[in-house]
Amino acid sequence: MKVLVPVKRVIDYNVKVRVKSDQSGVDLANVKMSMNPFDEIAVEEAIRLKEAGTAEEIVAVSIGPEKAQDQIRQALAMGADRGILIKTDETVEPLGVAKLLQKVVEEESPELVILGKQAIDDDSNQTGQMLAALLGWSQGTFASEIKKDDGKLSVTREIDGGLQTIKINMPAVVTTDLRLNEPRYASLPNIMKAKKKPLDVKEVGDYGVDIAPRLEVVKVTEPPKREAGVKVADVAELIDKLKNEAGVI
Amino acid sequence: MAVLVVADVHGNAIDDSTHKTVTAAAAIGGDIDILVAGENCGDAAAAAAKISGVRKVLHADDAAYAHRLAEPFADLIVKLAGDYDAILKAAATTGKNVMPRVAALLDVMQISEIVSVEAPDTFTRPIYAGNAMQTVKSSDAKKVITVRATSFAAAGEDGSASVETVAAAGDPGLSEFVEENLTKSDRPELTGAKIVVSGGRGLGSGEKFEEVILPLADKLGAGVGASRAAVDAGYVPNDYQVGQTGKVVAPELYIAIGISGAIQHLAGMKDSKVIVAINKDEEAPIFQVADYGLVADLFKAVPELTDAL
């Protein structure tokens, strides 16, 4: 089967984000950018399916600026076969991303789309579910284990209070949770090889989809700061404070 | 204006997050109805009818909703959506799974995990794991919203809404339930607990976690959490994890034991009313958010605390 893996270019998870003083957003100038960590897990899972003989071809797709080619190249270096960049410098909301991916799915006809459960920039946790809805496909979200089983997909999901296992029809959309796998590092020879793998660059306009934002960002602000309190000397003082000052026990 | 709140149903009961979502719905304004969907969930529907400020309860009872599978559940909500200007559900795993599917079927851009309502079309939500707050105004005629329940007070229970049976919307047969492995515990559920005791890497092992953390939690009647480091090290199962990639909690009292306080952990607990940190490293970042910090060897201090309570 063919697997489509959407990947997003986001601020690296180790970077401390700074809110711009004009409240228009967070500062992206000269900040290290990386592949969304949940999408890295998706790429890894697709490669494991290929190594197990379940998948034949892996296509990595990204919607973003010219520079998002770096993230597609990373997916190619990890083991994806080819890439598609849908170029735009505008912010595309999850609904718009899902509509563009729907078009890519119609062109590519994968049996499985696997992507991160959320991007660590806007934390929306929507794109996979929306894509499944638009395609009329089944969805297996927050996956910690997937297995192909008699033409269906068995998905173990991380839910409140534990794990849920469901069996879903193919084709399907799966979104990854943290513990699905540990993504590999690309080796230097594979990074060199990835430069020769095919990468198509398209424009958003090529797809004829309305991706105008539905949400207007009014402002972006710093979260309320929590002040450090006091240090207590010992357990007795701690209990005294909790009982008599805070009144919580 | 009318708002539909989709209840979190567990077995034949509704979760407290439903009451909190009703408070968010009240801030938007208009009539509030609650959808209770499940199998044999009449008691849950009756409980929802008691929530203050609710006009009516829509009760859908069908095997298709027993395990909250996304495809039939989303179809049901979409079928009922016509009468409402906004549809809200708590941002727990079911809401996160189902609501974006609903939004896309209605051609709406969902607003995820709101922490406040600024106006009926304007909401604030955390981005970058809570390191920034984004206020957005929606131009969609119908709003689809998930709610961070810990940011809203629970609505009271002095209501007496009518309960109306609604027909199921069918099952597209795209998915089937196989099994659920839920952590069995007599302790309060983490996200609803008034007191949470969490352990981190400082515990050193699963045995020590059990020996040190659990007696204190039991003494306080507290829920038990953990840092991602403790989960990754295998001390406790995944669903104990508090943080950006785990659960978000905001109890009256949060006790962090042997937790350094990585940004990822702070994102999940910094809205707690009172935070206590016990850690032997006085430079640990957790002390920057703690109301009461105790620099001590946790293996001595925590049993002493447990005994003294």
Side-chain angles (χ1 to χ4, degrees):
Chain A
M1 69 176 175
K2 189 196 271 188
V3 182
L4 187 75
V5 189
V7 298
K8 186 175 185 184
R9 176 182 171 88
V10 298
I11 290 189
D12 185 86
Y13 76 101
N14 276 316
V15 172
K16 172 130 182 58
V17 300
R18 283 190 316 272
V19 172
K20 286 195 216 166
S21 55
D22 67 359
Q23 300 195 333
S24 63
V26 305
D27 200 350
L28 295 175
N30 304 315
V31 169
K32 186 183 178 203
M33 304 295 281
S34 298
M35 190 192 299
N36 177 39
F38 289 103
D39 297 340
E40 262 187 302
I41 294 171
V43 174
E44 175 66 33
E45 196 64 20
I47 296 166
R48 290 185 190 192
L49 288 171
K50 189 175 172 186
E51 286 168 348
T54 310
E56 283 89 44
E57 190 187 20
I58 302 166
V59 181
V61 54
S62 191
I63 297 160
E66 185 82 42
K67 279 271 193 190
Q69 289 195 31
D70 296 351
Q71 280 62 50
I72 296 175
R73 290 284 172 207
Q74 186 195 337
L76 298 176
M78 287 171 74
D81 297 295
R82 60 189 173 86
I84 303 169
L85 170 66
I86 304 175
K87 215 170 60 176
T88 175
D89 288 323
E90 305 298 317
T91 300
V92 187
E93 293 170 345
L95 182 63
V97 171
K99 287 179 177 179
L100 286 166
L101 291 175
Q102 181 188 9
K103 294 291 175 193
V104 176
V105 167
E106 284 164 9
E107 281 179 14
E108 295 283 341
S109 309
E111 256 191 284
L112 176 66
V113 179
I114 183 164
L115 71 168
K117 72 168 180 179
Q118 72 190 68
I120 60 164
D121 49 5
D122 65 7
D123 287 333
S124 287
N125 193 337
Q126 297 176 8
T127 302
Q129 297 90 314
M130 287 182 155
L131 177 62
L134 296 176
L135 292 165
W137 288 9
S138 58
Q139 65 186 57
T141 54
F142 326 145
S144 65
E145 193 184 354
I146 64 173
K147 274 190 303 233
K148 204 170 171 200
D149 189 1
D150 290 341
K152 294 196 175 190
L153 203 63
S154 166
V155 181
T156 301
R157 310 176 52 236
E158 297 205 10
I159 61 165
D160 293 332
L163 297 171
Q164 181 191 57
T165 303
I166 56 174
K167 204 175 254 194
I168 60 177
N169 289 1
M170 307 280 282
V173 176
V174 168
T175 76
T176 61
D177 217 317
L178 271 184
R179 291 171 193 87
L180 183 59
N181 61 50
E182 271 189 46
R184 69 193 66 192
Y185 291 100
S187 66
L188 191 57
N190 285 342
I191 292 171
M192 301 312 289
K193 264 194 255 170
K195 291 183 176 165
K196 298 204 181 79
K197 289 184 178 176
L199 198 172
D200 277 353
V201 179
K202 310 254 189 171
E203 301 287 335
V204 163
D206 297 344
Y207 293 88
V209 171
D210 175 17
I211 54 158
R214 309 288 183 85
L215 303 180
E216 173 202 341
V217 177
V218 178
K219 62 177 178 180
V220 174
T221 57
E222 295 270 354
K225 279 245 174 350
R226 204 176 167 112
E227 300 294 322
V230 295
K231 293 258 170 66
V232 294
D234 52 28
V235 167
E237 190 189 348
L238 176 61
I239 293 176
D240 175 62
K241 295 273 191 196
L242 290 177
K243 276 195 173 137
N244 301 318
E245 193 176 89
V248 287
I249 59 169
Chain B
M1 277 282 286
V3 181
L4 181 66
V5 170
V6 183
D8 272 347
V9 180
H10 290 114
N12 197 2
I14 51 167
D15 196 85
D16 184 50
S17 61
T18 308
H19 299 66
K20 294 172 175 171
T21 306
V22 166
T23 300
I28 294 173
D31 294 321
I32 300 169
D33 293 348
I34 299 186
L35 169 63
V36 174
E39 187 182 27
N40 301 323
C41 62
D43 290 352
K50 292 202 181 81
I51 300 178
S52 311
V54 174
R55 179 177 64 176
K56 68 178 173 192
V57 172
L58 308 177
H59 175 204
D61 219 300
D62 194 278
Y65 312 125
H67 302 289
R68 308 170 300 280
L69 294 172
E71 301 87 358
F73 200 173
D75 286 353
L76 174 68
I77 298 168
V78 168
K79 190 179 138 195
L80 298 169
D83 298 335
Y84 297 97
D85 303 287
I87 306 167
L88 277 66
K89 185 161 172 57
T93 41
T94 304
K96 289 177 177 177
N97 186 31
V98 174
M99 293 304 272
R101 192 171 179 104
V102 170
L105 292 172
L106 295 170
D107 193 27
V108 168
M109 173 57 203
Q110 174 178 295
I111 307 148
S112 293
E113 213 151 350
I114 63 164
V115 296
S116 69
V117 177
E118 313 297 336
D121 62 355
T122 308
F123 310 90
T124 297
R125 54 183 300 269
I127 55 174
Y128 291 96
N131 288 305
M133 305 303 289
Q134 181 190 55
T135 301
V136 292
K137 184 175 176 177
S138 167
S139 62
D140 283 314
K142 210 181 274 296
K143 320 288 187 250
V144 175
I145 295 168
T146 61
V147 175
R148 180 172 284 188
T150 53
S151 296
F152 295 87
E157 290 198 329
D158 62 358
S160 55
S162 58
V163 178
E164 194 176 289
T165 302
V166 295
D171 186 345
L174 291 169
S175 58
E176 59 188 290
F177 173 80
V178 179
E179 61 173 350
E180 234 161 43
N181 288 309
L182 301 181
T183 310
K184 299 242 183 335
S185 169
D186 297 331
R187 297 190 184 86
E189 211 276 313
L190 198 48
T191 50
K194 288 215 156 42
I195 302 178
V196 171
V197 178
S198 278
R201 194 62 169 264
L203 271 308
S205 70
E207 293 74 46
K208 287 288 172 195
F209 192 102
E210 212 163 285
E211 246 174 73
V212 175
I213 301 295
L214 301 191
L216 176 61
D218 289 341
K219 200 87 177 241
L220 290 166
V224 177
S227 67
R228 181 169 165 196
V231 170
D232 284 348
Y235 303 170
V236 288
N238 299 341
D239 55 303
Y240 279 57
Q241 187 187 317
V242 172
Q244 175 193 356
T245 51
K247 294 204 169 81
V248 177
V249 301
E252 300 276 302
L253 172 61
Y254 187 90
I255 305 180
I257 296 167
I259 291 176
S260 64
I263 291 175
Q264 118 83 27
H265 186 74
L266 300 184
M269 46 66 83
K270 66 184 168 49
D271 294 329
S272 305
K273 192 164 155 238
V274 175
I275 296 174
V276 169
I278 302 175
N279 201 306
K280 66 172 186 238
D281 172 14
E282 68 176 305
E283 301 298 319
I286 190 78
F287 288 119
Q288 291 164 21
V289 300
D291 299 282
Y292 304 111
L294 175 59
V295 180
D297 176 0
L298 71 91
F299 296 107
K300 289 203 185 94
V302 178
E304 196 187 327
L305 176 61
T306 307
D307 289 343
L309 286 168

